[in-house]
Amino acid sequence: MRDFSGDTALISLNTATVQAQWTLEQCIEGCARHGIGGIAPWRDKLAECGAGRAAAMIRDAGLRVSGLCRGGMFPAATPAGRQAALDDNRRAVDDAAAIGAECLILVVGGLPEGSKNIAGARAQVRDGIAALLEHSRAAGMPLAIEPLHPMYAADRACVNTLKQANDLCDALGSGVGVAVDVYHVWWDPDLEAEIARAGAASRILGFHVCDWLVPTTDLLLDRGMMGDGVIDIPKIRGWVEAAGYDGASEVEIFSKDNWWRRDADEVLATCVQRHQTAV
Ligand code: ZN
């Protein structure tokens, strides 16, 4: 396994981790200050900054862009809604390319409004990604399907296991891979085997870390700092690295009552420190 104690360059900051405190400009400067080698912006922060200015700042700071968050949200109740989603995803691909992102993260979407047809939603996801692939392949931008914990199946992502994501990749062909976020997949009894399967196909495009708190008090905004919860992160990182992944360890913590209320430099310093003890 790789050693993060001497090489903080392998750490990436997902801007969600300090989204309440910092702009994208401040995140870029903060990464440089703390020796964090990568950044993963969300599109709202990127839009505030402007993709051109962000690209220049990121380049000047020497940061890698481990991913752009996010595309996806493919299912919709009407053809017009699905077309609008596809158009937005094409813009997301262009944004990702503009800042030199290593992949575009896909949070694929849940049930269309008024629907109880999850199989139909999953078919819309498959068709949506397939429709996006011509544009993303032409842009040279890999699409990273991120399976989300099943508690988000209705409203955020109906792809909920790494097996589902691997099956989608097999069906869709080149230009698409997976992002492994420990928060979403740590509980899965098939995780080790599906990570190996993804690695054998060279399709692990991202590795996201945070922790699962007990109890979790908010379904979306109560993620823990690595080491504060119950996920055996080093074990999962070992599987991912054994499968050939050599990209960044991206910290992605949504924490409205804790980490979003702290001084952002303290948050980044803690992220670096926990990479030595809990990742
Ligand atoms: Zn993630």
Side-chain angles (χ1 to χ4, degrees), residues 14 42 69 105 107 146-148 179-184 207-209 223 250 252 254:
N14 186 299
W42 278 68
C69 289
I105 296 291
V107 172
E146 182 166 332
L148 260 55
V180 177
D181 185 324
V182 298
Y183 191 75
H184 297 301
F207 178 62
H208 301 175
V209 296
R223 294 192 187 198
E250 180 180 316
E252 185 182 28
F254 299 79

